[in-house]
Amino acid sequence: MLKHMIAGASVLVIAAACASSNDPVADPVEPNTSAEQTQYELAIGTVTSLVDAGNEQIAIDRLTQLLGDPGMSERQMAETLFARAKLRYGGGNDLTGAVQDLKEIKANYPDSHVADEAAALLDEAAAEFAMLTDMLESGSVTPMERFEILFRLGRHQEAADLMLAGALEPENNYILDMYQIGYLCDGDELAGPVFELVEPDGTSRAVQFCELGK
């Protein structure tokens, strides 16, 4: 049930991203020759390339760095927050972070051109957040379902702790995210359980928990 629910949420995000005419990753950028605008274009181009390559977690990190740029306009801030929210809600598996981003748009950029889409996505994300939280608090889920819920909510450290303590073996998409976030590493000096990872480009790796090798 949980897998079908998460898959359905991902389909909604992909459909919204394809249908949106306001997606900052896809839209033509307004003509502007300033250094700040050029930097913004480069950053968004990098994010697009990362997403296309299946590196959602690294793309989220790049958007987070971009949001720290004091030279960003309000339009750019709203666009960047919305781009990060969609990634977090989709393949980034950080529902909590997505809700926070969408609430920030609602509070600080209510007149932005992405405000209506952000509000609609906030309703969906908040509903899923409430449902998953209720499932988690019910205590009626299996250890693997608990891991998946924690991970989907963005509580990645708790999910990693449960994975290690319960000797869980999640599917490849979770292993990939944990590798990109930095919970799993590859290297001869590491110890602990080994997980087989196949990256989006087909590269195979044997990865282990990074902290256990220190």
Side-chain angles (χ1 to χ4, degrees):
M1 175 181 176
L2 179 61
K3 292 179 181 177
H4 291 308
M5 178 194 63
I6 292 175
S10 298
V11 169
L12 286 173
V13 174
I14 293 171
C18 292
S20 171
S21 61
N22 293 319
D23 189 339
V25 175
D27 275 2
V29 181
E30 293 179 348
N32 191 322
T33 57
S34 70
E36 291 82 2
Q37 184 66 41
T38 301
Q39 188 65 31
Y40 177 73
E41 291 180 44
L42 290 172
I44 293 300
T46 298
V47 169
T48 301
S49 298
L50 288 168
V51 173
D52 289 345
N55 297 315
E56 290 92 350
Q57 298 296 341
I58 302 172
I60 289 170
D61 289 343
R62 184 66 189 92
L63 289 170
T64 300
Q65 293 171 359
L66 186 58
L67 287 166
D69 183 354
M72 293 262 283
S73 68
E74 289 195 357
R75 176 189 176 92
Q76 291 168 344
M77 287 291 292
E79 288 177 345
T80 305
L81 279 168
F82 190 44
R84 187 173 70 173
K86 287 190 291 184
L87 283 177
R88 284 174 159 175
Y89 182 63
N93 281 308
D94 184 1
L95 195 57
T96 303
V99 169
Q100 291 172 347
D101 286 343
L102 295 166
K103 284 183 176 179
E104 185 172 347
I105 294 172
K106 181 178 181 178
N108 298 331
Y109 308 102
D111 299 323
S112 70
H113 67 291
V114 300
D116 289 345
E117 289 179 89
L121 187 58
L122 176 58
D123 289 342
E124 295 176 13
E128 185 182 349
F129 180 92
M131 178 180 64
L132 291 180
T133 301
D134 287 345
M135 291 175 64
L136 199 61
E137 293 176 352
S138 72
S140 60
V141 294
T142 66
M144 183 59 77
E145 288 172 338
R146 184 175 181 82
F147 166 85
E148 292 176 348
I149 292 172
L150 287 170
F151 203 88
R152 175 67 179 152
L153 289 171
R155 294 161 61 175
H156 299 143
Q157 182 62 63
E158 291 178 66
D161 291 343
L162 178 62
M163 176 179 164
L164 181 59
L168 303 179
E169 296 185 7
E171 295 180 355
N172 187 75
N173 58 305
Y174 294 106
I175 300 298
L176 176 62
D177 276 354
M178 294 182 73
Y179 178 71
Q180 291 182 355
I181 294 171
Y183 289 109
L184 297 175
C185 299
D186 57 348
D188 295 337
E189 75 284 0
L190 298 175
V194 178
F195 305 93
E196 297 300 322
L197 165 65
V198 179
E199 297 191 69
D201 64 0
T203 301
S204 296
R205 298 179 185 275
V207 296
Q208 297 167 274
F209 280 96
C210 306
E211 295 296 326
L212 294 184
K214 295 182 179 180

